[in-house]
Amino acid sequence: MANSPSGDSMTERLVRVLETFTPARTAQTAAEIGRRSGIPSSTAHRIVGELVDAGLLERDAQHRVRVGMRLWELATRSSRALRLRQAALPFMERVQSRVREHTQLAILEQDEALFIEQLSGSAAGSNATRVAGRLPLHASSSGLVLLAFGGPDLQQRVLGGPLARRTAATIVDPDALRRKLAEIRTLGHAIAPGYIADVSTGVAVPVHDETGAVIAALSVVLPHGAQTEPALVELLRAARDIERERGL
Ligand code: PHB
């Protein structure tokens, strides 16, 4: 792969261009992409042009570019998230229709919880999550489940900090977090009252594969102070049904 004068490969530059897109920043000009990726402007313009020609980025009427449907198609088609999401959707719908709050499915990705599906009714409360968005492992119910049942290396990295504070309730002390993770393993679920936003409580349960490893967390976002037990019953039932469905 040809390297640029700064020594990074073409692939690295492509990744830097694509990583300038975030859940909150979905359209940008080529000049903004150049600035945010640290790639010289003329190179950024060329890479963006080539990606547009290939359909991986799309240009809108204001000459800003967005992630293209072709990139979405290629990424979604063969990802391991797709099969899990398809197995989970009917049971997530049941949770959502009964609990009537945001219902979401997250997997572990690069030491964060990555949300691969979310169902929200029109009356559901506020939510810090969206599909293809991420939350910190220590500060969300889904993240805590993925962390509690994750490997020792993962736990060591996360407990080693920094543990960023999101609200007054976020656990930022490693010893307190270690105790919380042990409690989650004992109970088999995580409750995160006000950890990511004062107004909500996350409730999450693990989803296992056929070997017993935890592959995902299924969660709901309740208004702070709401009863967690009815949601927990629905989540546990749905997680069992997803596991059975995947085993078919
Ligand atoms: C959580 O999983 O703890 C969580 C997620 C999103 C929110 C609030 C809580 O908006």
Side-chain angles (χ1 to χ4, degrees), residues 102 104 115 118 126-129 135 139-144 191-197 199-204 219-222:
H102 304 285
Q104 35 208 32
F115 289 83
Q118 178 181 71
S126 79
N127 192 1
T129 333
L135 284 180
S140 59
S141 60
S142 304
L144 286 164
I191 297 184
Y195 288 12
I196 202 96
V199 292
S200 4
T201 293
V203 182
S219 64
V220 292
V221 182
L222 305 178

Side-chain angles (χ1 to χ4, degrees), residues 21-174:
F21 293 91
T22 70
R25 189 198 298 138
T26 55
Q28 340 173 53
T29 64
E32 287 166 341
I33 291 173
R35 199 156 19 81
R36 290 173 179 141
S37 62
I39 293 171
S41 174
S42 59
T43 311
H45 274 83
R46 182 174 53 74
I47 294 174
V48 166
E50 288 172 4
L51 290 171
V52 169
D53 289 345
L56 301 184
L57 295 180
E58 290 172 359
R59 236 185 265 283
D60 66 16
Q62 288 84 44
H63 290 285
R64 292 173 311 177
V65 285
R66 299 171 179 274
V67 170
M69 290 312 294
R70 176 86 179 126
L71 182 53
W72 174 85
E73 178 190 3
L74 290 173
T76 307
R77 192 188 280 165
S78 56
S79 84
R80 71 187 153 97
L82 185 64
R83 194 169 147 251
L84 175 61
R85 181 181 159 272
Q86 276 172 337
L89 257 177
F91 307 111
M92 292 181 68
E93 275 164 10
R94 189 178 64 205
V95 173
Q96 208 284 320
S97 72
R98 296 196 177 164
V99 181
R100 301 197 161 275
E101 300 290 351
H102 304 285
T103 303
Q104 35 208 32
L105 186 66
I107 58 173
L108 179 68
E109 178 63 21
Q110 296 169 321
D111 293 0
E112 289 181 301
L114 172 64
F115 289 83
I116 62 170
E117 187 53 272
Q118 178 181 71
L119 299 177
S120 304
S122 53
S126 79
N127 192 1
T129 333
R130 64 187 91 205
V131 173
R134 293 173 179 231
L135 284 180
L137 293 180
H138 71 286
S140 59
S141 60
S142 304
L144 286 164
V145 159
L146 296 169
L147 184 57
F149 295 102
D153 291 353
L154 170 73
Q155 287 171 11
Q156 205 178 347
R157 276 196 305 278
V158 174
L159 285 160
L163 297 169
R165 178 177 291 292
R166 300 291 283 256
T167 68
T170 313
I171 301 177
V172 293
D173 170 53

Side-chain angles (χ1 to χ4, degrees), residues 192-211:
Y195 288 12
I196 202 96
D198 293 329
V199 292
S200 4
T201 293
V203 182
V205 302
V207 179
H208 303 86
D209 71 5
E210 49 289 345
T211 71

